[in-house]
Amino acid sequence: MKATITVLPGDGIGPEVTSQAVEVLSKVASKFGHEFAFNEALMGGCAIDQTGSALPDETIRTAESSDAILLGAVGGPKWSDPTAKVRPEDGLLKIRKHFDLFANLRPVKAYPALAQHTPLRPDLLENVDMLFVRELTGGIYFGPRQEQGDGDSAYDTELYTTPEVERVAHVAFRAAQGRRGKLASVDKANVMASMRLWRRTVVRVHEDYQDVALEHVLVDACAMYLMTRPASFDVLVAPNMFGDILSDEASVLAGSLGMLPSASLGSAKFGLYEPIHGSAPDIAGQGKANPTGTILSAALLLRYSLGLEQEAQAVERAVEAALASGARTADIAPRGGSFTSTTEFTQTILGAL
Ligand code: IPM
Ligand code: MG
């Protein structure tokens, strides 16, 4: 098949990890007889530097004429002045909103080979395999706010509408049907009105999915259960900010934040794919970045936007093979020991492919 992919390298380690994922996608194309065209565009701090905007119109146009977006990461100390009028992160929030990418899928697996990199007992990590479905275009990230405040106060508002909760709940229930049939809905219904709306909407949507076992988990308890009984989770559905926080927490189970991919989807096949980690400016340009999260995001791109399941699985198996062969980027290497550089790690994956 022919496909066009917009690549947004972004800032910090973004360019290092997206270039590796593009290599993997190119290899997939030649191995399976596809034609992928890659169009690079600006978003984030680099876009602010060159155009004054975190998400230039040209980037939107490039993305609109493509099948999917592959993104690295945005942000860095250079642009983090609290009084700045425009920030790199604005670009990310705007592009999610522009394409109405309301469902952010974040699969979390514990890799037995990396068990010693987690602070948890190995027995707790057995069979850890969960999928976060994070609501991505609503909630406190997009609610009414007073940006600079009056000097002594500022606010952000958690606001959800029934249709916003319904559509992400449908995605989560359907995902659970295709997995182990369990859904945990995360909220704070004991305190927040918006979260009571969230819960009653999820309960109503559940009527269409009686084959799925639903539990409601308060976000604070969920944070604890992710560490005490991680294997009990199958699919979790969470409001935007709770999903942001809990998925970083859950990355501990995988051994490193650098391991985790994500897919941001709307109601069509088009999607945005990015690792869940940030731009890690402290290690940028040193060959220390772990490209796994971005390469696994490319696998999700193959699966969800291009419908290439076999190819997606081939990439996922190649990542597992690279880990099994002992290749370790800096974040997952034995402390003080030697590590595989970003590009060497990708070469191992390409070899396995
Ligand atoms: C994420 C990131 C973003 C978010 C930031 C960079 C705006 O933390 O994708 O998890 O909060 O959504
Ligand atoms: Mg985050």
Side-chain angles (χ1 to χ4, degrees):
M1 78 177 297
K2 279 191 183 178
T4 307
I5 299 165
T6 299
V7 181
L8 305 176
D11 311 313
I13 59 169
E16 293 164 62
V17 291
T18 48
S19 65
Q20 303 309 296
V22 166
E23 282 212 27
V24 171
L25 287 170
S26 303
K27 174 91 182 198
V28 166
S30 63
K31 186 176 147 78
F32 291 86
H34 303 302
E35 238 175 83
F36 297 157
F38 301 97
N39 294 332
E40 264 198 29
L42 293 170
M43 188 176 89
C46 58
I48 295 176
D49 287 351
Q50 291 190 42
T51 71
S53 158
L55 179 63
D57 290 344
E58 201 190 319
T59 297
I60 294 182
R61 279 197 299 274
T62 303
E64 278 172 348
S65 64
S66 67
D67 298 290
I69 303 171
L70 181 71
L71 165 70
V74 295
K78 184 173 174 197
W79 308 279
S80 59
D81 172 3
T83 64
K85 288 245 161 9
V86 49
R87 339 171 152 269
E89 290 79 4
D90 297 343
L92 185 53
L93 300 184
K94 272 191 196 144
I95 202 163
R96 289 171 176 170
K97 195 77 174 174
H98 178 84
F99 289 103
D100 204 17
L101 304 171
F102 63 86
N104 180 227
L105 310 191
R106 299 188 161 188
V108 180
K109 259 200 224 178
Y111 293 89
L114 302 182
Q116 69 276 22
H117 278 275
T118 82
L120 297 189
R121 286 202 320 263
D123 61 294
L124 286 172
L125 297 169
E126 274 163 34
N127 303 316
V128 167
D129 180 359
M130 66 184 91
L131 175 70
F132 277 89
V133 179
R134 169 188 173 194
E135 199 291 323
L136 202 61
T137 50
I140 197 162
Y141 273 52
F142 294 94
R145 67 188 53 209
Q146 194 180 47
E147 200 58 69
Q148 305 294 352
D150 55 11
D152 292 315
S153 69
Y155 60 81
D156 301 275
T157 316
E158 179 84 356
L159 171 71
Y160 268 115
T161 65
T162 301
E164 282 176 325
V165 182
E166 277 171 354
R167 61 184 187 170
V168 76
H170 280 290
V171 171
F173 278 113
R174 282 198 297 269
Q177 282 181 324
R179 294 173 46 106
R180 303 195 302 280
K182 294 202 301 185
L183 178 64
S185 171
V186 181
D187 63 39
K188 189 71 185 173
N190 55 344
V191 175
M192 295 160 68
S194 56
M195 294 290 95
R196 287 190 279 278
L197 177 125
W198 175 279
R199 189 177 289 207
R200 49 171 199 276
T201 307
V202 172
V203 166
R204 205 170 329 107
V205 175
H206 185 210
E207 287 167 15
D208 297 348
Y209 302 90
Q210 286 300 307
D211 50 338
V212 174
L214 171 67
E215 65 166 335
H216 302 279
V217 195
L218 294 172
V219 62
D220 47 353
C222 188
M224 174 178 63
Y225 296 149
L226 282 172
M227 298 293 111
T228 57
R229 57 167 175 92
S232 72
F233 291 108
D234 180 15
V235 180
L236 299 98
V237 63
N240 202 341
M241 185 177 235
F242 294 164
D244 177 46
I245 297 168
L246 294 177
S247 57
D248 266 34
E249 184 194 2
S251 77
V252 170
L253 303 163
S256 166
L257 192 57
M259 298 295 296
L260 296 196
S262 85
S264 302
L265 304 172
S267 41
K269 282 198 148 194
F270 183 85
L272 182 155
Y273 300 84
E274 55 171 322
I276 83 159
H277 63 70
S279 61
D282 52 322
I283 59 160
Q286 300 169 31
K288 285 186 181 169
N290 184 349
T292 307
T294 316
I295 290 171
L296 290 176
S297 298
L300 297 180
L301 185 159
L302 293 166
R303 172 171 296 130
Y304 295 120
S305 282
L306 307 187
L308 300 174
E309 178 60 32
Q310 207 194 337
E311 288 80 343
Q313 285 185 22
V315 172
E316 288 163 349
R317 276 198 305 272
V319 168
E320 292 195 16
L323 289 172
S325 78
R328 295 285 184 273
T329 43
D331 54 325
I332 50 176
R335 268 174 248 297
S338 64
F339 62 86
T340 313
S341 75
T342 308
T343 51
E344 281 165 354
F345 192 77
T346 308
Q347 289 307 317
T348 314
I349 292 173
L350 292 174
L353 249 183

